[in-house]
């Protein structure tokens, strides 16, 4: 009887083990199939053959990570009797190497001939001012976008090349930049939509002069400006969202945390930003330049000194929200952008409007008024600067003064001007107690 029970126990164990092995094999086969297919879909506006090396590389890397999570050793997988899998893997690696080599050789040849082609449109800012919405609309209407290379973020590097604003990329030289637009050789319009470029006009001018072929003179520069307090809040909310989701490679959130690594409140974040803006040696003389992106006159003055006024189109974020069709007309006219089918051209999709536990709505009006004092001088400088700008002809003129959002007094009167008194405002609460250092 005891022997029979032992046999039954052994058979039960064998059946359970067999079931586990079968399930594991099914999982592995699914991952194997996914690996062979290299499931990264090609983007609609970039030639499939150019994307092949990038997709294969990304697919292999992602699948390796998945296999690792299944505790399946990749070396063992490559030694398995699956020649079709290894053929696919090796073909992907080979195509990746051949395409990168071919592009490097072509860029080198263009450099020697003096025919390097850079993007003819730059959307330089302002950050959190609607640039993502404008970029997506332009890319969807035939404007060629940059392509991310291995090791780069396949998401935002398809919009933002981040060449001029990151020292380690800028120091690699003009060929490094041109390579991101090599696939645009037959395109009429190519655009880099990196909003941080607002702070780097000298680098842009130097690079485009170096590229030759009159590219500096034919460059089109687009800027969209948003009321600075609302822009600051949007920037904070974006960083808070990135802080929450640190699985992304975007580390913009780093200057929105305290020394212990906790997310700053908006109040504390704003105090930190003002310290950099009001630095005794000049705005953002030390620390992140991004804290000063709302000081528009500081940067636009330099752009207007380096490029002709008719090369720079300045748009209003308020017009994007309230009269989108008019803003699109200005943009199309400035670029000379022809669209075969006009149906639906006045449809700019709002992006980067994430909702999350860290996101805060507009602060009380009293807070906005205190923050606005910091921007008062530079806003007036901006209005005076833009009053001297007589081109291009389709530009909004005069440029509208910024309006604070949702500022309502106790009697229901809208208090939106930067220059109105704060008397009569609703009683401030704890969230409105902010020290701007003024």
């Amino acid at each position: 009887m005891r022997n029979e029970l032992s046999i039954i126990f052994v058979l039960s164990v064998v059946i359970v083990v067999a079931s586990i092995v079968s399930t594991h094999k099914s999982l592995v086969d699914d991952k194997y199939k996914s690996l062979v297919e290299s499931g990264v879909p090609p983007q609609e506006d970039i030639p499939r053959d150019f994307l092949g090396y990038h997709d294969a590389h990304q697919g292999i890397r992602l699948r390796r990570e998945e296999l690792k999570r299944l505790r399946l050793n990749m070396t063992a997988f490559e030694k398995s009797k699956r020649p079709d899998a290894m053929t696919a893997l090796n073909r992907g690696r080979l195509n990746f190497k051949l395409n990168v080599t071919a592009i490097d050789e072509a860029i080198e040849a263009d450099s020697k001939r003096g025919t390097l082609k850079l993007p003819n449109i730059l959307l330089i800012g302002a950050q959190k001012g609607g640039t993502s919405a404008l970029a997506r609309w332009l890319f969807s209407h035939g404007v060629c976008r940059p392509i991310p290379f291995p090791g780069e973020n396949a998401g935002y590097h398809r919009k933002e090349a981040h060449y001029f604003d990151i020292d380690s990329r800028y120091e690699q030289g003009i060929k490094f930049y041109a390579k991101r637009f090599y696939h645009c050789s037959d395109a009429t319009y190519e655009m880099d939509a990196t909003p941080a470029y607002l702070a780097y006009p000298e680098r842009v001018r130097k690079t485009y002069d170096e590229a030759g072929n009159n590219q500096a003179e034919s460059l089109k520069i687009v800027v969209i400006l948003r009321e600075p307090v609302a822009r600051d809040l949007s920037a904070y909310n974006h960083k808070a969202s990135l802080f929450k989701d640190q699985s992304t490679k975007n580390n913009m959130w780093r200057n929105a945390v305290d020394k212990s690594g906790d997310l700053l409140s908006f109040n504390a974040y704003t105090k930190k930003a003002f310290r950099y803006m009001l630095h005794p040696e000049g705005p953002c003389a030390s620390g992140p330049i991004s804290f000063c992106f709302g000081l528009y006159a500081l940067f636009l003055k330099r752009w207007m000194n380096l490029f002709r006024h008719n090369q720079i189109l300045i748009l209003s974020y308020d017009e994007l929200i309230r009269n989108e069709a008019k803003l699109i007309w200005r943009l199309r006219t400035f670029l000379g952008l022809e669209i075969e089918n006009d149906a639906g051209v006045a449809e700019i999709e709002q992006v980067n409007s994430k909702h999350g536990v860290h996101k805060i709505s507009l602060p009380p009006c009293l807070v906005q008024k205190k923050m606005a004092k910091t921007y008062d001088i530079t806003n007036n400088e901006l209005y005076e600067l833009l009053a001297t700008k007589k081109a291009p002809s389709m530009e909004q003129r005069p440029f509208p003064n910024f309006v604070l959002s949702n500022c309502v007094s106790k009697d229901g009167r809208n208090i939106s001007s930067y220059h109105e008194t704060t008397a009569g405002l609703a009683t401030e609460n704890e969230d409105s107690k902010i020290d701007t250092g003024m």
Side-chain angles (χ1 to χ4, degrees):
M1 184 68 179
R2 183 175 297 176
N3 290 337
E4 290 176 355
L5 289 174
S6 298
I7 292 171
I8 292 172
F9 175 76
V10 170
L11 288 174
S12 299
V13 171
V14 170
I15 291 171
V16 171
V17 170
S19 176
I20 293 173
V21 170
S22 176
T23 302
H24 183 69
K25 182 179 184 300
S26 177
L27 288 171
V28 171
D29 283 344
D30 288 343
K31 295 301 172 182
Y32 155 73
K33 181 180 178 181
S34 182
L35 175 66
V36 173
E37 291 175 350
S38 293
V40 180
Q43 290 82 0
E44 67 280 359
D45 56 349
I46 303 178
R48 182 184 293 268
D49 57 344
F50 185 85
L51 276 174
Y53 80 91
H54 181 260
D55 289 345
H57 175 78
Q58 291 288 83
I60 292 168
R61 182 181 61 79
L62 292 173
R63 299 311 179 265
R64 281 182 183 236
E65 291 174 358
E66 290 174 6
L67 290 168
K68 184 177 180 180
R69 285 196 292 272
L70 284 171
R71 297 183 179 180
L72 180 63
N73 187 285
M74 192 63 188
T75 303
F77 179 77
E78 292 183 350
K79 291 180 179 178
S80 67
K81 296 179 180 180
R82 295 183 185 273
D84 50 346
M86 295 322 304
T87 299
L89 285 169
N90 290 330
R91 188 188 307 118
R93 295 188 183 106
L94 180 62
N95 287 341
F96 160 68
K97 291 177 182 178
L98 289 177
N99 277 278
V100 170
T101 301
I103 294 166
D104 285 339
E105 290 175 352
I107 289 291
E108 186 64 36
D110 285 347
S111 178
K112 290 179 180 178
R113 288 193 298 266
T115 57
L116 276 179
K117 186 179 181 182
L118 302 183
N120 53 13
I121 304 172
L122 292 182
L123 179 52
I124 63 170
Q127 193 180 77
K128 309 311 298 176
T131 58
S132 292
L134 287 185
R136 179 171 292 187
W137 187 86
L138 287 166
F139 290 142
S140 70
H141 286 83
V143 175
C144 189
R145 65 168 79 229
I147 187 170
F149 274 64
E152 298 179 340
N153 187 302
Y156 68 81
H157 274 124
R158 293 186 65 236
K159 169 191 172 237
E160 308 170 12
H162 285 282
Y163 173 68
F164 298 106
D165 61 312
I166 298 179
D167 291 345
S168 61
R169 293 170 72 81
Y170 181 70
E171 289 164 1
Q172 294 187 59
I174 189 172
K175 288 181 282 188
F176 173 86
Y177 187 45
K179 187 161 63 172
R180 272 114 192 104
F181 298 90
Y182 184 74
H183 61 289
C184 299
S185 57
D186 296 327
T188 304
Y189 304 100
E190 317 87 34
M191 180 174 71
D192 180 357
T194 306
Y197 288 174
L198 181 65
Y200 298 91
E202 292 80 13
R203 287 185 173 185
V204 172
R205 182 71 206 203
K206 180 178 182 296
T207 299
Y208 275 77
D209 281 339
E210 181 184 343
N213 293 316
N214 210 38
Q215 292 187 76
E217 301 301 323
S218 59
L219 177 64
K220 299 281 188 178
I221 301 160
V222 180
V223 192
I224 182 166
L225 303 182
R226 182 179 187 178
E227 189 279 305
V229 175
R231 194 212 71 83
D232 284 350
L233 179 63
S234 181
Y236 171 81
N237 280 331
H238 184 60
K239 292 173 183 180
S241 175
L242 293 172
F243 172 81
K244 181 183 177 183
D245 181 19
Q246 293 184 26
S247 63
T248 68
K249 292 184 178 180
N250 193 328
N251 58 8
M252 280 178 59
W253 53 266
R254 286 188 304 176
N255 56 32
V257 298
D258 58 23
K259 293 180 179 179
S260 62
D262 296 324
L263 181 69
L264 294 169
S265 67
F266 181 61
N267 189 351
Y269 173 82
T270 304
K271 287 181 179 179
K272 180 178 180 180
F274 287 159
R275 283 199 298 271
Y276 287 112
M277 283 190 275
L278 302 173
H279 194 281
E281 296 179 15
C284 292
S286 66
I289 191 68
S290 61
F291 281 133
C292 289
F293 280 164
L295 305 177
Y296 302 133
L298 178 71
F299 304 113
L300 288 177
K301 192 180 302 181
R302 289 153 52 194
W303 282 94
M304 290 170 60
N305 284 336
L306 291 169
F307 294 90
R308 299 191 316 277
H309 291 190
N310 64 0
Q311 289 182 259
I312 306 170
L313 175 68
I314 299 177
L315 300 171
S316 165
Y317 177 85
D318 286 343
E319 187 173 57
L320 171 64
I321 301 302
R322 296 171 182 161
N323 193 351
E324 182 182 289
K326 187 69 173 181
L327 181 137
I328 289 178
W329 171 81
R330 297 185 201 280
L331 188 59
R332 290 179 62 188
T333 305
F334 174 67
L335 298 177
L337 182 64
E338 296 181 4
I339 301 175
E340 291 184 7
N341 181 8
D342 276 4
V345 294
E347 296 177 1
I348 295 181
E349 179 184 359
Q350 184 179 1
V351 294
N352 289 341
S353 55
K354 298 178 181 178
H355 299 280
V357 296
H358 294 294
K359 187 166 185 175
I360 59 174
S361 58
L362 279 170
C365 193
L366 185 57
V367 174
Q368 294 189 60
K369 298 291 287 188
K370 288 182 177 180
M371 293 174 65
K373 288 181 181 180
T374 304
Y375 290 111
D376 242 351
I377 295 176
T378 57
N379 282 348
N380 287 329
E381 289 177 354
L382 174 69
Y383 306 144
E384 293 172 4
L385 177 68
L386 298 187
T388 69
K389 192 173 183 291
K390 304 302 181 184
S393 60
M394 76 293 300
E395 199 167 58
Q396 193 172 8
R397 204 168 281 112
F399 188 83
N401 287 10
F402 294 123
V403 175
L404 294 175
S405 303
N406 299 333
C407 285
V408 180
S409 64
K410 288 180 180 179
D411 58 5
R413 184 169 54 89
N414 190 339
I415 302 177
S416 57
S417 169
Y418 264 68
H419 304 291
E420 290 189 46
T421 177
T422 57
L425 288 175
T427 304
E428 69 175 272
N429 56 31
E430 194 64 31
D431 289 335
S432 71
K433 294 176 181 177
I434 185 170
D435 178 14
T436 65
M438 299 299 292

